[in-house]
Every structure is written in C-alpha cells, then in structure tokens.
Amino acid sequence: MIQFENVTKTYNKSVRAVDDISFNVKGGEIVGFIGPNGSGKTTTMKMLTGIIKPDSGKITINGFNIRTDPIKAKESIGYIADSPDMFLRLRGNEFLELIGDIYHVPSADRQERVRSLAEKFGLTEALPAPMMSYSHGMRQKMMVIAALLHKPPVWILDEPMIGLDPKSAFELKQLMREHTKEGNAVFFSTHVLEVAEKLCDRVIIIKNGKMLYSGTLEELEKQNKNESLENIFLELTEK
C-alpha cells in the first residue's frame, strides 16, 4: 500500500536528508520508523504525504503516485503530523467539520464517527471549546480523530503517542491493530523502542538519511545475540 522507491531529498544543495531510500508497507502491516533526531524521519513523512517533493524517486500510496495523482493519493492517507498546534482558532467541532468537508465524509457518517472517536478519546465535552484552550495532549487526540475521520486505508503517523495519556495511547494502539486486521496499512515513526517492539510487524531504522535496517525486531535480536534491543539500536545509530 506504500511504495517508497529510491527516494532522495537534499536541502541547501548539500544536506542529504534522505539518501536513496527504498521500502514498502503492505496491507495488514504495522511498520515502525525509528531513528535519532535529524535522521530523516520527518522529511520522509512529509514526502509520503505530499507536503514536500523528493528530488528523485517514486512514491506510491494505495496505488496512486503522490506526484502525478496527488488528490487520490492524499485521500487514501490519514496523517498525524509531528505537531498538533494547528487550526487553534477553531472550536473542536468546527475543526472536525472542516476535515469532514475536505474529505467529503457524508453528514450522517461524520456525526457517528465523531461521536464514537470523541468518546473513545475522552473529548466529547471539549468539542465545543476553542482548540486554543486545549492542553497539548487534547490537541494530539484531536489530530488522531481528524486523521481517522474519513476511514483512510493508509495511516501515516509522525510520533503519534507523544502527549497522549496512557488510556488514549492504548486506544490508538488498539485502533492501529484493528485497522491492519482489515487489510489496511500503518506506518509510524517513534523513538520509543518498547512501543515498536510490542506493536510493529517490521521496523525500519534510519540514520543520516540512510537506511540501516529493515525487518523484524526478532530477526534483529537474533543477529545480535545476548544484546538488549536498546543496546543494538545505540550501536547501530552511533557508528
């Protein structure tokens, strides 16, 4: 459902943030994207969602090329950005109405989905209030609801657990598992190895724009016997 083929992105004609990377995410998979700060994770996420363009390579989402068929590709994506601080002048329910309009979610379906997701994440009473008054965690939960409102087949989540309380993080993990059971795909970045270990079918490890590893954490541990996952990660990313 995601094909990322030989993609490169350079800033200021010298800093290669993503260096000829290729990977894919199939339907039914949760794939974690791991790397230290400055490794190229957010640049990759922004190229996947069409926010920025690659210098070279091809990106396909749910069968649609993000460059030549951007609307169809973006309609297939549920995206949680690395910051929830947006549209803060809107009330929560106004923001979700806007998202529903953008993705052409039918009114009856929209109301039921908002009701269900707001209840799940404990935001029902907060919806009439301006998002400017929300805590960071509440804003993050609003971004989760907005990303899932149109039931997209592909979820692209940039550090989605940051700011979530334990119950909301648990609910999001459950939704991710349910989503892939329906044959859909989840690709998310994280710096929390414990989350990746418990949730992911595969992981991709990146550093300085280059891919260091792609596979299961079980395979990675077998290749590095008697090492903790944390030590393996540190050894890979500090070389």
Side-chain angles (χ1 to χ4, degrees):
M1 302 191 85
I2 297 175
Q3 286 82 41
F4 199 78
E5 304 173 43
N6 302 111
V7 175
T8 294
K9 180 65 180 180
T10 302
Y11 294 115
N12 301 322
K13 299 182 180 181
S14 60
V15 180
R16 188 161 286 191
V18 173
D19 190 358
D20 192 28
I21 285 181
S22 297
F23 62 84
N24 65 78
V25 182
K26 301 174 184 176
E29 279 191 313
I30 299 176
V31 176
F33 197 39
I34 306 173
N37 292 339
S39 61
K41 297 195 304 297
T42 294
T43 295
T44 298
M45 292 291 190
K46 289 182 176 179
M47 288 191 290
L48 277 171
T49 53
I51 296 172
I52 60 175
K53 295 180 179 179
D55 298 330
S56 60
K58 180 181 178 182
I59 301 170
T60 306
I61 307 291
N62 198 31
F64 301 106
N65 187 304
I66 194 73
R67 179 173 287 181
T68 60
D69 207 347
I71 300 300
K72 290 292 185 183
K74 291 175 184 179
E75 285 176 346
S76 301
I77 294 170
Y79 176 53
I80 298 176
D82 57 342
S83 170
D85 297 330
M86 56 187 78
F87 298 101
L88 298 183
R89 293 186 182 275
L90 296 180
R91 299 178 186 276
N93 46 20
E94 292 174 337
F95 171 62
L96 294 177
E97 283 295 316
L98 172 65
I99 297 300
D101 287 343
I102 290 171
Y103 287 100
H104 308 294
V105 181
S107 180
D109 294 343
R110 184 185 310 185
Q111 291 175 13
E112 174 55 28
R113 291 175 200 170
V114 168
R115 184 202 63 75
S116 175
L117 289 167
E119 187 176 288
K120 190 178 291 289
F121 288 101
L123 281 182
T124 303
E125 294 183 2
L127 290 181
M131 291 169 60
M132 191 175 292
S133 68
Y134 289 8
S135 67
H136 178 87
M138 292 169 69
R139 293 174 189 176
Q140 184 71 1
K141 288 189 279 188
M142 282 296 294
M143 295 304 112
V144 173
I145 293 172
L148 308 188
L149 188 58
H150 63 295
K151 291 190 173 180
V154 178
W155 294 0
I156 298 174
L157 317 177
D158 197 352
E159 299 284 0
M161 306 296 173
I162 290 180
L164 293 184
D165 56 82
K167 181 182 182 299
S168 296
F170 173 79
E171 294 288 0
L172 179 56
K173 292 172 190 175
Q174 290 295 101
L175 286 170
M176 291 164 74
R177 292 188 181 100
E178 290 169 11
H179 188 65
T180 54
K181 285 178 181 177
E182 296 172 357
N184 301 307
V186 175
F187 182 72
F188 77 103
S189 69
T190 182
H191 66 279
V192 183
L193 294 177
E194 184 181 4
V195 171
E197 187 173 22
K198 292 181 178 178
L199 198 57
C200 296
D201 299 298
R202 289 189 295 120
V203 298
I204 295 166
I205 300 176
I206 184 175
K207 179 190 176 185
N208 295 334
K210 292 183 178 291
M211 187 185 297
L212 302 181
Y213 177 78
S214 177
T216 68
L217 288 172
E218 184 179 34
E219 290 167 346
L220 183 61
E221 288 177 305
K222 284 181 180 178
Q223 294 170 16
N224 298 267
K225 294 181 178 179
N226 301 320
E227 288 278 359
S228 69
L229 190 59
E230 184 176 358
N231 285 341
I232 295 168
F233 176 76
L234 290 173
E235 287 174 10
L236 277 174
T237 57
E238 290 183 355
K239 288 179 180 178

